[in-house]
Amino acid sequence: MDGTQQTDQWADFPDLGVDQDAVYLTANMFPTTGNDFYLKVWVVPKAQLLTGQQTITWTEFSKIRNDPQGNFVFTLRAAHTFGSAPGEYFVSFWDPFPPADTPLQVWRVINPLTNPTFEHVANIPI
């Protein structure tokens, strides 16, 4: 699911988010062999889908593994955003050994139509 070439990765825990500009897809990517897993986010301009274009273009953010503080990132959940917002938001949480001391991680995509950028917004202690 590289989007440009065939790979040995498969997608798990897919999610879908939408805002006024785009459709956002996320997945945990696992290899068929080995343990090189990571997150992937796809940004697809909504107008292409609504007008039935034969060929669509998208932006892909790949190999996402850690937030800026080094916390592991896994299983992004995308928002369904109504109206205008300063970006499309996502949350992630991962701690395989509760009680958890890993924060809730908040991410967003800004400028989805002109210059899509995937960025870390904050870590929220829980």
Side-chain angles (χ1 to χ4, degrees), residues 15-100:
D15 199 29
L16 177 128
V18 295
D19 68 11
Q20 65 186 10
D21 297 318
V23 173
Y24 304 84
L25 304 160
T26 69
N28 295 336
M29 302 303 295
F30 288 91
T32 55
T33 59
N35 61 2
D36 183 28
F37 51 88
Y38 54 87
L39 280 173
K40 188 176 271 196
V41 176
W42 296 267
V43 180
V44 182
K46 192 190 289 185
Q48 294 179 20
L49 303 173
L50 295 175
T51 58
Q53 289 186 14
Q54 296 266 342
T55 303
I56 62 169
T57 58
W58 63 88
T59 300
E60 191 173 283
F61 300 100
S62 185
K63 307 279 184 179
I64 304 162
R65 293 185 177 94
N66 299 90
D67 69 15
Q69 288 74 40
N71 297 303
F72 186 64
V73 181
F74 217 50
T75 311
L76 280 177
R77 292 300 181 210
H80 292 241
T81 305
F82 300 93
S84 64
E88 171 66 7
Y89 286 87
F90 305 81
V91 295
S92 176
F93 172 80
W94 174 261
D95 192 333
F97 306 106

Side-chain angles (χ1 to χ4, degrees), residues 102-125:
T102 302
L104 181 71
Q105 300 156 330
V106 180
W107 303 81
R108 72 179 174 182
V109 170
I110 57 171
N111 305 315
L113 300 180
T114 56
N115 183 27
T117 303
F118 183 72
E119 64 183 14
H120 180 258
V121 176
N123 282 346
I124 302 170

